[in-house]
Amino acid sequence: MSSLERVMFRYKRIIPKFDDFLRCMKTPLPRTVRINTLKADSEEILQSLSEHGVIFKTFNWYEYGLRLLNVSSPGNLIEYFLGYIHTQEEVSMIPPIVLEPKPGELILDMCAAPGSKATQISQIMCNTGHVIANDVDLRRISMLKSNYERLGVLNMSITVYDGRKFPNIPFDKILVDAPCSCEGIYRKNPSVFDNWSLKVIKNLSRLQKRLLSRAIQIAKRGGTVVYSTCTFSPEENEAVIDYVLSIYEGMIKLEEIKLDLEYCSGIKEWNGIKFNDEISLCARFYPHLNDTGGLFVAKIRKI
């Protein structure tokens, strides 16, 4: 049994069309990029790509997402160096859209490096308001800085806090794209299973609960917190959301996720543990449903 099959077998009863899922996980990811309208308008960027022989297809659910059909290394394109495009996996573009940042707002990306989602938030906000891009890992901060400079982001500051201890600043919206076991990126990086274990998952779950709790504490009343991971593990997904629904009962509620993509609802039970009924409002994006990586996302409103 391969490492993929060994790890994924624990999810067989919760993943629909499991055999299709396994087959998809063994295939390479499509090459995808995000059009960056902070540097040029979409038409100009698409024209430039076409003139350089790039064949592409626009996402049917997000006008700034592209699949590149004849390019193996998007990072080598002149449009990448100019900041016209940014290499980003398709489901990675979902959390900032679910967050719905508005121009003029104060936004925190709590675990931001290397910056794909943070710079997408800046793009959605048209370089207005302010984005705090935070990460505890100094080694990754340089990548974050490089990306926001290349992409023409002007409304961003970088901080280096442990998200569990982020200062008491009231934010309109917060993204917690939490550190996780990364099972959903196997198609891009099969080595993610080299150090996989249930102990690692349990340790990550404890960290995720504290990160999300802190985000809820510092979000404004009426504000939004989006929680996302690129893993399938219920311990890191539904169990984390169930935890904060219990701890902050009456203070938060989950909201429905509306995207023109196929996904499954959050599961209501795992290993004999029943979750809050609201968990069904969470979304699980599986690779075989849209030919992507894996993603879990939840949208939380602070009442």
Side-chain angles (χ1 to χ4, degrees):
M1 183 179 291
S2 68
S3 61
L4 169 66
E5 293 165 332
R6 175 176 54 83
V7 173
M8 293 297 101
F9 185 77
R10 75 189 299 253
Y11 307 129
K12 185 172 183 177
R13 70 177 181 84
I14 66 171
I15 297 179
K17 301 178 181 177
F18 187 73
D19 290 341
D20 292 343
F21 165 78
L22 281 181
R23 280 193 291 271
C24 184
M25 287 284 280
K26 295 173 184 177
T27 63
L29 267 175
R31 304 296 184 183
T32 56
V33 299
R34 170 170 52 87
I35 295 170
N36 176 36
T37 54
L38 296 180
K39 278 292 189 78
D41 61 43
S42 295
E43 292 76 14
E44 181 183 350
I45 294 169
L46 294 178
Q47 182 179 348
S48 178
L49 289 169
S50 294
E51 288 174 352
H52 289 109
V54 177
I55 301 172
F56 54 82
K57 181 180 180 182
T58 306
F59 296 172
N60 60 8
W61 63 275
Y62 181 44
E63 62 181 319
Y64 302 121
L66 300 177
R67 288 196 181 194
L68 306 185
L69 306 181
N70 64 338
V71 175
S72 59
S73 300
N76 291 333
L77 295 173
I78 185 63
E79 289 79 9
Y80 176 86
F81 292 104
L82 292 172
Y84 288 179
I85 60 172
H86 180 66
T87 52
Q88 189 170 350
E89 210 278 296
E90 184 165 351
V91 292
S92 171
M93 302 181 204
I94 291 173
I97 295 170
V98 172
L99 187 66
E100 294 186 287
K102 299 290 191 297
E105 289 183 326
L106 179 62
I107 310 287
L108 171 64
D109 186 344
M110 185 176 275
C111 312
S116 292
K117 297 177 183 69
T119 55
Q120 185 182 354
I121 290 169
S122 289
Q123 176 178 335
I124 296 171
M125 295 170 69
C126 302
N127 254 342
T128 68
H130 204 78
V131 179
I132 305 295
N134 178 75
D135 205 279
V136 71
D137 190 341
L138 279 171
R139 295 171 299 176
R140 290 161 57 87
I141 289 294
S142 61
M143 292 186 286
L144 171 58
K145 185 173 183 293
S146 173
N147 279 326
Y148 91 69
E149 289 176 346
R150 180 177 55 83
L151 295 170
V153 172
L154 303 175
N155 67 337
M156 184 178 292
S157 298
I158 293 177
T159 58
V160 189
Y161 287 104
D162 181 333
R164 296 169 292 185
K165 302 174 183 177
F166 201 89
N168 285 313
I169 300 169
F171 288 93
D172 295 295
K173 288 165 184 170
I174 301 174
L175 173 61
V176 183
D177 185 51
C180 69
S181 55
C182 298
E183 295 166 347
I185 70 167
Y186 178 87
R187 296 180 70 188
K188 181 172 68 175
N189 180 14
S191 68
V192 296
F193 288 164
D194 290 353
N195 298 308
W196 185 96
S197 71
L198 289 177
K199 181 179 180 180
V200 168
I201 285 176
K202 289 176 182 178
N203 288 339
L204 284 166
S205 181
R206 284 193 288 270
L207 170 63
Q208 292 152 352
K209 288 171 183 175
R210 292 187 63 187
L211 289 169
L212 184 54
S213 292
R214 186 58 182 155
I216 291 167
Q217 290 164 7
I218 62 178
K220 292 179 180 178
R221 290 188 64 179
T224 300
V225 177
V226 167
Y227 175 81
S228 60
T229 73
C230 57
T231 196
F232 308 117
S233 161
E235 293 92 341
E236 301 177 66
N237 295 328
E238 287 88 352
V240 174
I241 303 302
D242 187 71
Y243 170 81
V244 295
L245 286 173
S246 174
I247 295 296
Y248 299 100
E249 185 177 2
M251 296 174 58
I252 60 173
K253 65 177 182 178
L254 294 187
E255 295 193 339
E256 185 180 2
I257 292 164
K258 300 177 181 178
L259 290 171
D260 191 19
L261 273 172
E262 188 175 354
Y263 63 86
C264 296
S265 300
I267 63 172
K268 295 183 179 180
E269 176 270 335
W270 177 250
N271 284 349
I273 299 173
K274 292 185 178 180
F275 299 131
N276 189 301
D277 286 343
E278 282 190 66
I279 296 294
S280 62
L281 293 172
C282 300
R284 285 177 160 263
F285 295 86
Y286 292 119
H288 61 305
L289 299 182
N290 304 288
D291 195 13
T292 64
L295 180 82
F296 173 88
V297 64
K299 185 176 185 180
I300 301 166
R301 176 77 63 187
K302 188 170 180 180
I303 303 171

